């Protein structure tokens, strides 16, 4: 059974940090590119960051460059998103996605940035 389980979300003040984790099971993790998406209330889901199968190539949307960092550990079948200098506009549900022959999605974790 394929599963992607996100964790690490929560409430944080502006300027704070969070580290999201996504644990995979049920498929060959190392074959899949991994990415993080987010969806804010009333907005479309958007790609935030992505990482290639070996971790050698990463991508970030402009609004998070220099603040967010994606990484993966193929031995632990996990992908991470380190989020620093968080802003209220980063508030959203964050999802991880696995992409290869097909896409798999996690259930999401809520991140709320507010004072």
């Amino acid at each position: 059974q394929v599963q992607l389980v996100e964790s690490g979300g929560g409430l944080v003040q502006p300027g704070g940090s969070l580290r999201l984790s996504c644990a995979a099971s049920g498929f060959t993790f190392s074959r899949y590119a991994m990415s993080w998406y987010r969806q804010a209330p009333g907005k479309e889901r958007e790609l935030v960051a992505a990482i290639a199968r070996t971790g050698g190539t990463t991508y970030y949307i402009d609004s998070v460059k220099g603040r967010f960092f994606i990484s993966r550990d193929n031995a632990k079948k996990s992908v991470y998103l380190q989020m620093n200098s968080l802003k209220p506009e980063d508030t959203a549900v964050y999802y991880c996605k696995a992409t290869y022959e097909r896409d798999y999605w996690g259930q999401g974790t809520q991140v709320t940035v507010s004072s």
Side-chain angles (χ1 to χ4, degrees):
Q1 180 182 359
V2 171
Q3 278 194 311
L4 288 172
V5 180
E6 300 99 333
S7 61
L11 173 63
V12 63
Q13 292 187 341
S17 297
L18 284 174
R19 186 185 192 224
L20 305 183
S21 299
C22 174
S25 61
F27 63 97
T28 306
F29 181 78
S30 60
R31 292 182 180 175
Y32 285 70
M34 298 298 297
S35 52
W36 286 95
Y37 282 71
R38 66 185 179 188
Q39 188 166 21
K43 295 188 177 181
E44 294 187 355
R45 191 173 297 189
E46 66 173 349
L47 173 64
V48 175
I51 188 166
R53 290 179 293 174
T54 62
T57 302
T58 57
Y59 166 83
Y60 301 92
I61 57 171
D62 285 345
S63 61
V64 308
K65 283 181 180 177
R67 299 189 298 123
F68 290 13
F69 301 94
I70 188 170
S71 61
R72 66 188 293 162
D73 185 333
N74 285 349
K76 295 183 177 180
K77 299 182 180 180
S78 294
V79 63
Y80 309 97
L81 186 67
Q82 178 67 43
M83 305 187 296
N84 301 324
S85 302
L86 282 160
K87 304 176 181 180
E89 51 263 43
D90 295 318
T91 294
V93 178
Y94 284 72
Y95 301 88
C96 67
K97 187 178 88 168
T99 301
Y100 178 44
E101 295 176 324
R102 57 160 293 177
D103 293 340
Y104 298 119
W105 289 90
Q107 83 290 346
T109 186
Q110 176 70 46
V111 172
T112 303
V113 184
S114 175
S115 55

